[in-house]
PDB file of all heavy atoms in Angstrom:
ATOM      1  N   CYS A 303      -4.863 -13.560   6.465  1.00 97.00           N
ATOM      2  CA  CYS A 303      -5.551 -13.049   5.274  1.00 97.00           C
ATOM      3  C   CYS A 303      -4.852 -13.603   4.020  1.00 97.00           C
ATOM      4  O   CYS A 303      -3.661 -13.902   4.061  1.00 97.00           O
ATOM      5  CB  CYS A 303      -5.436 -11.529   5.169  1.00 97.00           C
ATOM      6  SG  CYS A 303      -6.071 -10.621   6.559  1.00 97.00           S
ATOM      7  N   GLY A 304      -5.574 -13.631   2.925  1.00 97.00           N
ATOM      8  CA  GLY A 304      -5.003 -13.921   1.612  1.00 97.00           C
ATOM      9  C   GLY A 304      -4.263 -15.247   1.556  1.00 97.00           C
ATOM     10  O   GLY A 304      -4.721 -16.273   2.071  1.00 97.00           O
ATOM     11  N   THR A 305      -3.094 -15.203   0.956  1.00 98.00           N
ATOM     12  CA  THR A 305      -2.284 -16.415   0.817  1.00 98.00           C
ATOM     13  C   THR A 305      -1.922 -17.005   2.174  1.00 98.00           C
ATOM     14  O   THR A 305      -1.882 -18.226   2.337  1.00 98.00           O
ATOM     15  CB  THR A 305      -1.012 -16.065  -0.003  1.00 98.00           C
ATOM     16  OG1 THR A 305      -1.429 -15.822  -1.351  1.00 98.00           O
ATOM     17  CG2 THR A 305      -0.005 -17.180   0.008  1.00 98.00           C
ATOM     18  N   SER A 306      -1.679 -16.142   3.137  1.00 98.00           N
ATOM     19  CA  SER A 306      -1.342 -16.645   4.474  1.00 98.00           C
ATOM     20  C   SER A 306      -2.505 -17.442   5.062  1.00 98.00           C
ATOM     21  O   SER A 306      -2.307 -18.403   5.815  1.00 98.00           O
ATOM     22  CB  SER A 306      -0.984 -15.486   5.409  1.00 98.00           C
ATOM     23  OG  SER A 306       0.121 -14.779   4.903  1.00 98.00           O
ATOM     24  N   ILE A 349      -0.786 -15.593  11.136  1.00 98.00           N
ATOM     25  CA  ILE A 349       0.202 -15.850  10.086  1.00 98.00           C
ATOM     26  C   ILE A 349       0.201 -14.658   9.137  1.00 98.00           C
ATOM     27  O   ILE A 349      -0.857 -14.268   8.640  1.00 98.00           O
ATOM     28  CB  ILE A 349      -0.136 -17.147   9.307  1.00 98.00           C
ATOM     29  CG1 ILE A 349      -0.288 -18.323  10.285  1.00 98.00           C
ATOM     30  CG2 ILE A 349       0.947 -17.444   8.263  1.00 98.00           C
ATOM     31  CD1 ILE A 349      -0.643 -19.649   9.615  1.00 98.00           C
ATOM     32  N   SER A 350       1.367 -14.064   8.924  1.00 98.00           N
ATOM     33  CA  SER A 350       1.433 -12.891   8.050  1.00 98.00           C
ATOM     34  C   SER A 350       2.832 -12.752   7.467  1.00 98.00           C
ATOM     35  O   SER A 350       3.811 -12.733   8.213  1.00 98.00           O
ATOM     36  CB  SER A 350       1.085 -11.635   8.859  1.00 98.00           C
ATOM     37  OG  SER A 350       1.302 -10.478   8.087  1.00 98.00           O
ATOM     38  N   GLN A 351       2.905 -12.692   6.156  1.00 97.00           N
ATOM     39  CA  GLN A 351       4.202 -12.466   5.513  1.00 97.00           C
ATOM     40  C   GLN A 351       4.786 -11.145   5.988  1.00 97.00           C
ATOM     41  O   GLN A 351       5.894 -11.075   6.494  1.00 97.00           O
ATOM     42  CB  GLN A 351       4.020 -12.463   3.986  1.00 97.00           C
ATOM     43  CG  GLN A 351       5.283 -12.356   3.149  1.00 97.00           C
ATOM     44  CD  GLN A 351       5.900 -10.979   3.089  1.00 97.00           C
ATOM     45  OE1 GLN A 351       7.099 -10.821   3.365  1.00 97.00           O
ATOM     46  NE2 GLN A 351       5.135  -9.967   2.772  1.00 97.00           N
ATOM     47  N   SER A 352       4.002 -10.069   5.796  1.00 94.00           N
ATOM     48  CA  SER A 352       4.516  -8.722   6.066  1.00 94.00           C
ATOM     49  C   SER A 352       4.618  -8.417   7.557  1.00 94.00           C
ATOM     50  O   SER A 352       5.420  -7.606   7.979  1.00 94.00           O
ATOM     51  CB  SER A 352       3.593  -7.682   5.426  1.00 94.00           C
ATOM     52  OG  SER A 352       2.301  -7.779   6.012  1.00 94.00           O
ATOM     53  N   GLY A 353       3.738  -9.056   8.323  1.00 95.00           N
ATOM     54  CA  GLY A 353       3.660  -8.723   9.747  1.00 95.00           C
ATOM     55  C   GLY A 353       3.025  -7.371   9.993  1.00 95.00           C
ATOM     56  O   GLY A 353       3.077  -6.830  11.100  1.00 95.00           O
ATOM     57  N   GLU A 354       2.395  -6.799   8.965  1.00 92.00           N
ATOM     58  CA  GLU A 354       1.802  -5.458   9.098  1.00 92.00           C
ATOM     59  C   GLU A 354       0.340  -5.416   8.653  1.00 92.00           C
ATOM     60  O   GLU A 354      -0.271  -4.354   8.709  1.00 92.00           O
ATOM     61  CB  GLU A 354       2.581  -4.433   8.260  1.00 92.00           C
ATOM     62  CG  GLU A 354       4.054  -4.291   8.603  1.00 92.00           C
ATOM     63  CD  GLU A 354       4.319  -3.712   9.992  1.00 92.00           C
ATOM     64  OE1 GLU A 354       3.379  -3.181  10.618  1.00 92.00           O
ATOM     65  OE2 GLU A 354       5.471  -3.815  10.453  1.00 92.00           O
ATOM     66  N   THR A 355      -0.216  -6.507   8.164  1.00 94.00           N
ATOM     67  CA  THR A 355      -1.583  -6.481   7.643  1.00 94.00           C
ATOM     68  C   THR A 355      -2.551  -5.999   8.734  1.00 94.00           C
ATOM     69  O   THR A 355      -2.597  -6.573   9.827  1.00 94.00           O
ATOM     70  CB  THR A 355      -1.971  -7.878   7.127  1.00 94.00           C
ATOM     71  OG1 THR A 355      -1.023  -8.223   6.117  1.00 94.00           O
ATOM     72  CG2 THR A 355      -3.369  -7.911   6.556  1.00 94.00           C
ATOM     73  N   THR A 358      -5.000  -8.484  10.366  1.00 96.00           N
ATOM     74  CA  THR A 358      -4.334  -9.536  11.139  1.00 96.00           C
ATOM     75  C   THR A 358      -3.796  -8.956  12.448  1.00 96.00           C
ATOM     76  O   THR A 358      -3.904  -9.571  13.509  1.00 96.00           O
ATOM     77  CB  THR A 358      -3.194 -10.164  10.301  1.00 96.00           C
ATOM     78  OG1 THR A 358      -3.709 -10.454   9.003  1.00 96.00           O
ATOM     79  CG2 THR A 358      -2.681 -11.436  10.926  1.00 96.00           C
ATOM     80  N   GLU A 398      10.040 -10.376   0.174  1.00 94.00           N
ATOM     81  CA  GLU A 398       9.169 -10.789  -0.932  1.00 94.00           C
ATOM     82  C   GLU A 398       8.612  -9.511  -1.551  1.00 94.00           C
ATOM     83  O   GLU A 398       7.914  -8.753  -0.891  1.00 94.00           O
ATOM     84  CB  GLU A 398       8.042 -11.690  -0.429  1.00 94.00           C
ATOM     85  CG  GLU A 398       7.259 -12.314  -1.571  1.00 94.00           C
ATOM     86  CD  GLU A 398       6.157 -13.246  -1.068  1.00 94.00           C
ATOM     87  OE1 GLU A 398       5.198 -12.743  -0.422  1.00 94.00           O
ATOM     88  OE2 GLU A 398       6.226 -14.446  -1.313  1.00 94.00           O
ATOM     89  N   VAL A 401       3.831  -8.740  -5.618  1.00 92.00           N
ATOM     90  CA  VAL A 401       2.609  -8.622  -4.812  1.00 92.00           C
ATOM     91  C   VAL A 401       1.987  -9.997  -4.581  1.00 92.00           C
ATOM     92  O   VAL A 401       1.494 -10.300  -3.490  1.00 92.00           O
ATOM     93  CB  VAL A 401       1.611  -7.640  -5.479  1.00 92.00           C
ATOM     94  CG1 VAL A 401       0.222  -7.805  -4.905  1.00 92.00           C
ATOM     95  CG2 VAL A 401       2.086  -6.213  -5.260  1.00 92.00           C
ATOM     96  N   ALA A 402       2.006 -10.842  -5.613  1.00 95.00           N
ATOM     97  CA  ALA A 402       1.449 -12.187  -5.437  1.00 95.00           C
ATOM     98  C   ALA A 402       2.451 -13.022  -4.642  1.00 95.00           C
ATOM     99  O   ALA A 402       3.577 -13.239  -5.061  1.00 95.00           O
ATOM    100  CB  ALA A 402       1.185 -12.814  -6.801  1.00 95.00           C
ATOM    101  N   SER A 403       2.015 -13.473  -3.489  1.00 97.00           N
ATOM    102  CA  SER A 403       2.923 -14.172  -2.582  1.00 97.00           C
ATOM    103  C   SER A 403       3.227 -15.583  -3.100  1.00 97.00           C
ATOM    104  O   SER A 403       2.326 -16.318  -3.483  1.00 97.00           O
ATOM    105  CB  SER A 403       2.255 -14.241  -1.209  1.00 97.00           C
ATOM    106  OG  SER A 403       3.109 -14.826  -0.284  1.00 97.00           O
ATOM    107  N   GLN A 410       5.865 -20.604   4.810  1.00 98.00           N
ATOM    108  CA  GLN A 410       4.861 -20.732   5.874  1.00 98.00           C
ATOM    109  C   GLN A 410       4.492 -22.203   6.068  1.00 98.00           C
ATOM    110  O   GLN A 410       4.380 -22.697   7.196  1.00 98.00           O
ATOM    111  CB  GLN A 410       3.606 -19.923   5.514  1.00 98.00           C
ATOM    112  CG  GLN A 410       3.802 -18.414   5.639  1.00 98.00           C
ATOM    113  CD  GLN A 410       2.712 -17.609   4.933  1.00 98.00           C
ATOM    114  OE1 GLN A 410       1.985 -18.120   4.074  1.00 98.00           O
ATOM    115  NE2 GLN A 410       2.594 -16.336   5.275  1.00 98.00           N
ATOM    116  N   LEU A 487      -6.284 -18.110  -6.612  1.00 98.00           N
ATOM    117  CA  LEU A 487      -5.950 -16.747  -6.170  1.00 98.00           C
ATOM    118  C   LEU A 487      -4.785 -16.184  -6.989  1.00 98.00           C
ATOM    119  O   LEU A 487      -4.836 -15.032  -7.450  1.00 98.00           O
ATOM    120  CB  LEU A 487      -5.602 -16.734  -4.677  1.00 98.00           C
ATOM    121  CG  LEU A 487      -5.210 -15.382  -4.101  1.00 98.00           C
ATOM    122  CD1 LEU A 487      -6.383 -14.404  -4.117  1.00 98.00           C
ATOM    123  CD2 LEU A 487      -4.687 -15.500  -2.670  1.00 98.00           C
ATOM    124  N   LYS A 488      -3.744 -17.010  -7.191  1.00 98.00           N
ATOM    125  CA  LYS A 488      -2.593 -16.527  -7.975  1.00 98.00           C
ATOM    126  C   LYS A 488      -3.048 -16.072  -9.348  1.00 98.00           C
ATOM    127  O   LYS A 488      -2.652 -15.025  -9.834  1.00 98.00           O
ATOM    128  CB  LYS A 488      -1.526 -17.629  -8.156  1.00 98.00           C
ATOM    129  CG  LYS A 488      -0.700 -18.000  -6.965  1.00 98.00           C
ATOM    130  CD  LYS A 488       0.268 -16.961  -6.500  1.00 98.00           C
ATOM    131  CE  LYS A 488      -0.315 -15.970  -5.568  1.00 98.00           C
ATOM    132  NZ  LYS A 488      -0.461 -16.119  -4.186  1.00 98.00           N
ATOM    133  N   GLU A 491      -5.200 -12.819  -9.190  1.00 96.00           N
ATOM    134  CA  GLU A 491      -4.403 -11.665  -8.762  1.00 96.00           C
ATOM    135  C   GLU A 491      -3.616 -11.049  -9.913  1.00 96.00           C
ATOM    136  O   GLU A 491      -3.582  -9.833 -10.061  1.00 96.00           O
ATOM    137  CB  GLU A 491      -3.372 -12.093  -7.691  1.00 96.00           C
ATOM    138  CG  GLU A 491      -3.908 -12.194  -6.297  1.00 96.00           C
ATOM    139  CD  GLU A 491      -2.833 -12.638  -5.305  1.00 96.00           C
ATOM    140  OE1 GLU A 491      -2.039 -13.560  -5.616  1.00 96.00           O
ATOM    141  OE2 GLU A 491      -2.787 -12.079  -4.219  1.00 96.00           O
ATOM    142  N   LEU A 604      -4.114  -4.000  -6.315  1.00 86.00           N
ATOM    143  CA  LEU A 604      -3.631  -4.811  -5.194  1.00 86.00           C
ATOM    144  C   LEU A 604      -2.474  -4.127  -4.480  1.00 86.00           C
ATOM    145  O   LEU A 604      -1.762  -3.326  -5.062  1.00 86.00           O
ATOM    146  CB  LEU A 604      -3.171  -6.184  -5.675  1.00 86.00           C
ATOM    147  CG  LEU A 604      -4.242  -7.094  -6.249  1.00 86.00           C
ATOM    148  CD1 LEU A 604      -3.641  -8.431  -6.642  1.00 86.00           C
ATOM    149  CD2 LEU A 604      -5.362  -7.299  -5.246  1.00 86.00           C
ATOM    150  N   ALA A 605      -2.307  -4.502  -3.238  1.00 81.00           N
ATOM    151  CA  ALA A 605      -1.183  -3.981  -2.464  1.00 81.00           C
ATOM    152  C   ALA A 605      -0.468  -5.145  -1.807  1.00 81.00           C
ATOM    153  O   ALA A 605      -1.084  -6.158  -1.476  1.00 81.00           O
ATOM    154  CB  ALA A 605      -1.683  -3.019  -1.411  1.00 81.00           C
ATOM    155  N   LYS A 606       0.824  -5.000  -1.639  1.00 81.00           N
ATOM    156  CA  LYS A 606       1.611  -6.067  -1.025  1.00 81.00           C
ATOM    157  C   LYS A 606       1.266  -6.214   0.446  1.00 81.00           C
ATOM    158  O   LYS A 606       1.165  -7.304   0.968  1.00 81.00           O
ATOM    159  CB  LYS A 606       3.095  -5.744  -1.199  1.00 81.00           C
ATOM    160  CG  LYS A 606       4.028  -6.797  -0.644  1.00 81.00           C
ATOM    161  CD  LYS A 606       3.947  -8.064  -1.453  1.00 81.00           C
ATOM    162  CE  LYS A 606       4.715  -9.210  -0.837  1.00 81.00           C
ATOM    163  NZ  LYS A 606       4.221 -10.509  -1.321  1.00 81.00           N
ATOM    164  N   SER A 607       1.143  -5.079   1.095  1.00 79.00           N
ATOM    165  CA  SER A 607       0.897  -5.139   2.526  1.00 79.00           C
ATOM    166  C   SER A 607      -0.312  -4.243   2.793  1.00 79.00           C
ATOM    167  O   SER A 607      -0.245  -3.038   2.606  1.00 79.00           O
ATOM    168  CB  SER A 607       2.167  -4.649   3.221  1.00 79.00           C
ATOM    169  OG  SER A 607       1.922  -4.381   4.549  1.00 79.00           O
ATOM    170  N   VAL A 608      -1.418  -4.858   3.172  1.00 81.00           N
ATOM    171  CA  VAL A 608      -2.678  -4.113   3.272  1.00 81.00           C
ATOM    172  C   VAL A 608      -2.787  -3.524   4.672  1.00 81.00           C
ATOM    173  O   VAL A 608      -3.194  -4.195   5.614  1.00 81.00           O
ATOM    174  CB  VAL A 608      -3.881  -5.013   2.910  1.00 81.00           C
ATOM    175  CG1 VAL A 608      -5.189  -4.261   3.053  1.00 81.00           C
ATOM    176  CG2 VAL A 608      -3.731  -5.511   1.479  1.00 81.00           C
TER     177      VAL A 608
HETATM  178  C1  G6P B 701      -2.279  -8.835   0.435  1.00 54.77           C
HETATM  179  C2  G6P B 701      -1.243  -9.449  -0.488  1.00 54.77           C
HETATM  180  C3  G6P B 701      -1.328 -10.970  -0.422  1.00 54.77           C
HETATM  181  C4  G6P B 701      -1.169 -11.451   1.010  1.00 54.77           C
HETATM  182  C5  G6P B 701      -2.190 -10.778   1.935  1.00 54.77           C
HETATM  183  C6  G6P B 701      -1.874 -11.053   3.393  1.00 54.77           C
HETATM  184  O1  G6P B 701      -3.541  -9.093  -0.058  1.00 54.77           O
HETATM  185  O2  G6P B 701      -1.435  -9.002  -1.808  1.00 54.77           O
HETATM  186  O3  G6P B 701      -0.299 -11.542  -1.216  1.00 54.77           O
HETATM  187  O4  G6P B 701      -1.323 -12.836   1.056  1.00 54.77           O
HETATM  188  O5  G6P B 701      -2.159  -9.357   1.765  1.00 54.77           O
HETATM  189  O6  G6P B 701      -0.635 -10.458   3.693  1.00 54.77           O
HETATM  190  P1  G6P B 701       0.307 -10.863   4.869  1.00 54.77           P
HETATM  191  O7  G6P B 701       1.486  -9.946   4.742  1.00 54.77           O
HETATM  192  O8  G6P B 701      -0.443 -10.633   6.148  1.00 54.77           O
HETATM  193  O9  G6P B 701       0.656 -12.297   4.702  1.00 54.77           O
END
Side-chain angles (χ1 to χ4, degrees):
C303 302
T305 290
S306 300
I349 306 179
S350 173
Q351 185 284 128
S352 62
E354 301 294 347
T355 301
T358 312
E398 189 178 66
V401 164
S403 184
Q410 287 164 342
L487 179 66
K488 287 291 86 84
E491 278 179 317
L604 295 182
K606 182 68 188 158
S607 166
V608 178

